[in-house]
Amino acid sequence: MARVCNFSAGPSMLPLEVLKKAQEEMLDYEGCGQSVTEMSHRSKEFDKIIKDAEKLFREIMNVPDNYKVLFLQGGASAQFSAIPLNFMNKNNKADYIVTGVWAKKAWQEAQKYGAARKVASSEDKIFSYIPKLTKDDFDPEADYVYMCMNNTIYGTKYPYIPDTGDVPLIADVSSCFLSEPLDVTKFAMVYGGAQKNIAPAGLVVAIIREDMLGNAMPITPVMMDYKVQADADSLYNTPPCYTMYMCKLVLEWIKSMGGLEGIKANNEKKAKILYDFLDNSKMFKNTVNPEDRSLMNVTFVTGNDELDAKCVKEAKENGLINLKGHRSIGGLRASIYNAMPVEGVEKLVSFLADFEKKNS
Ligand SMILES: *Cc1c(COP(=O)(O)O)cnc(C)c1O
């Protein structure tokens, strides 16, 4: 079996141990004579899966008791609508920090439901940095402040958590979920799609402070009402059962890696190998503001589109796949999520060094 090193931004690699466990249990889950793919979401077996997943999530992320952990559908993109529908409920306005395409989409969607103000943007420099904001930059009357913690396409991450005073802070953490410890108490809601760091596609995990719930706009579709989902323990309708099971397996794997501290150490090690190479290369450059560098998505360019394309193509021939940068910025991007082993990054660096030697 020759498995490739997959640097895709999402859906992305899953830990080999997790895939093997899922394979083992595919036909007969814990002696119940059926696969989780076939199981009723109201069965006692599935009830244990969802409860275990929530318990592990709370334990690993240190989620306080006054927060709900919800398993939702529709991807992160569905939350772009659900967030204003649920939370633009006092003054009908919110502040958005636009640090990339995903934050911009969330901001544009929110404009349908109320006054969504762009507090700051880094679009002037192709989203290559994170604006530095202080409490005075935010409208104290805003119903919430919205941010995207890790900008998947550009390879930036907030080096700080903005101080928004009493205004609830909401963060999209899709591409950095469970990649390092996060102080949940600083947020009213953190959420993300599972397909980057947690599970196959089809699942969103949202952690929401309880006092935020229960004031959705009357027009809110029932599936998007977080209170409805919370009251139903994420089983208002049929959830993506198999993806939730995979999520549980990944959480068990994270625990076995020493929790988020262990995962963080591993992620820092991988990122350092790659950034150190880029900083010393004469051919490849990372163009992001150094202090805002992402641990998860590493973007780089040669400055020559043809050479970029050649590099992506030859990497693929060497089992290093999906290194093409997002179509909006080009260049190359290596997404090195939790499941990417250190050896995968080492292979990439040795390939890039070789490519540089042959092409300069
Ligand atoms: C991938 C991604 C999204 C979009 O996720 P979908 O689940 O496809 O809607 C949103 N935000 C961030 C930060 C992402 O990385």
Side-chain angles (χ1 to χ4, degrees):
M1 182 186 62
R3 281 180 53 82
V4 294
C5 289
N6 181 5
F7 295 93
S8 166
S12 43
M13 284 182 84
L14 287 164
L16 193 57
E17 295 91 322
V18 166
L19 294 175
K20 282 187 173 156
K21 174 98 173 156
Q23 183 183 40
E24 244 169 62
E25 297 185 326
M26 178 48 103
L27 299 184
D28 181 8
Y29 176 72
E30 293 191 346
C32 73
Q34 56 178 326
S35 166
V36 179
T37 57
E38 306 167 297
M39 207 175 262
S40 163
H41 61 295
R42 308 282 177 202
S43 64
K44 76 172 192 319
E45 287 85 3
F46 188 72
D47 185 61
K48 181 156 169 18
I49 291 172
I50 186 171
K51 290 213 170 98
D52 283 353
E54 179 177 342
K55 203 170 133 231
L56 281 163
F57 219 97
R58 287 185 173 280
E59 183 186 332
I60 289 169
M61 273 199 78
N62 209 358
V63 178
D65 288 342
N66 63 326
Y67 284 74
K68 295 281 187 192
V69 174
L70 303 181
F71 298 103
L72 307 167
Q73 295 185 69
S77 300
Q79 315 318 311
F80 298 170
S81 330
I83 286 164
L85 283 162
N86 279 271
F87 304 133
M88 267 189 180
N89 50 19
K90 284 195 195 81
N91 300 319
N92 200 228
K93 55 182 181 173
D95 277 357
Y96 277 72
I97 313 171
V98 178
T99 50
V101 158
W102 296 118
K104 192 172 177 182
K105 284 189 170 168
W107 169 60
Q108 285 166 337
E109 183 65 14
Q111 289 167 34
K112 292 181 185 168
Y113 304 106
R117 181 176 77 115
K118 181 162 71 178
V119 189
S121 165
S122 48
E123 197 164 7
D124 58 331
K125 291 188 181 152
I126 331 171
F127 298 121
S128 60
Y129 70 101
I130 300 291
K132 286 189 184 51
L133 299 173
T134 63
K135 209 161 108 180
D136 297 336
D137 292 308
F138 301 105
D139 177 356
E141 307 261 278
D143 290 332
Y144 60 87
V145 172
Y146 183 99
M147 64 183 277
C148 178
M149 182 79 83
N150 183 80
N151 297 280
T152 326
I153 296 172
Y154 308 93
T156 63
K157 194 196 90 169
Y158 279 75
Y160 73 106
I161 297 175
D163 176 5
T164 59
D166 293 330
V167 182
L169 179 60
I170 296 178
D172 174 357
V173 297
S174 292
S175 50
C176 59
F177 227 164
L178 302 175
S179 63
E180 59 183 320
L182 180 68
D183 184 356
V184 174
T185 64
K186 296 271 194 297
F187 301 88
M189 170 175 177
V190 291
Y191 78 97
Q195 71 272 25
K196 314 266 158 79
N197 235 351
I198 305 186
L203 177 70
V204 164
V205 183
I207 303 166
I208 309 177
R209 210 173 57 216
E210 277 169 2
D211 64 275
M212 297 290 288
L213 298 170
N215 291 302
M217 292 181 192
I219 59 158
T220 306
V222 66
M223 278 292 292
M224 286 192 175
D225 189 327
Y226 294 136
K227 176 79 163 57
V228 170
Q229 297 286 1
D231 288 348
D233 293 325
S234 304
L235 288 169
Y236 173 76
N237 71 332
T238 319
C241 302
Y242 196 78
T243 298
M244 287 160 79
Y245 156 75
M246 292 290 284
C247 167
K248 187 196 81 139
L249 296 185
V250 170
L251 293 167
E252 286 167 353
W253 174 78
I254 290 177
K255 226 178 131 172
S256 78
M257 295 284 289
L260 295 186
E261 289 295 348
I263 290 281
K264 180 186 183 191
N266 206 40
N267 285 334
E268 284 178 343
K269 184 172 173 190
K270 289 184 287 177
K272 184 171 183 331
I273 293 170
L274 190 45
Y275 284 121
D276 280 355
F277 167 77
L278 295 172
D279 289 344
N280 289 307
S281 165
K282 290 201 170 62
M283 176 177 281
F284 299 101
K285 270 183 192 52
N286 167 262
T287 56
V288 157
N289 187 29
E291 69 183 62
D292 303 330
R293 284 174 168 181
S294 168
L295 272 185
M296 297 280 100
N297 313 98
V298 181
T299 50
F300 49 102
V301 292
T302 63
N304 172 338
D305 291 348
E306 264 165 50
L307 204 55
D308 286 350
K310 184 168 185 244
C311 184
V312 169
K313 181 168 164 281
E314 288 182 14
K316 189 175 170 195
E317 289 159 10
N318 283 278
L320 307 163
I321 71 164
N322 289 320
L323 283 163
K324 192 165 186 266
H326 190 269
R327 59 189 183 280
S328 63
I329 57 161
L332 292 94
R333 170 179 54 174
S335 295
I336 48 174
Y337 295 120
N338 289 351
M340 172 63 66
V342 174
E343 303 79 68
V345 178
E346 285 168 348
K347 261 190 217 163
L348 172 63
V349 163
S350 111
F351 165 80
L352 292 174
D354 199 43
F355 183 89
E356 178 168 351
K357 216 179 285 160
K358 284 185 187 143
N359 291 277
S360 48

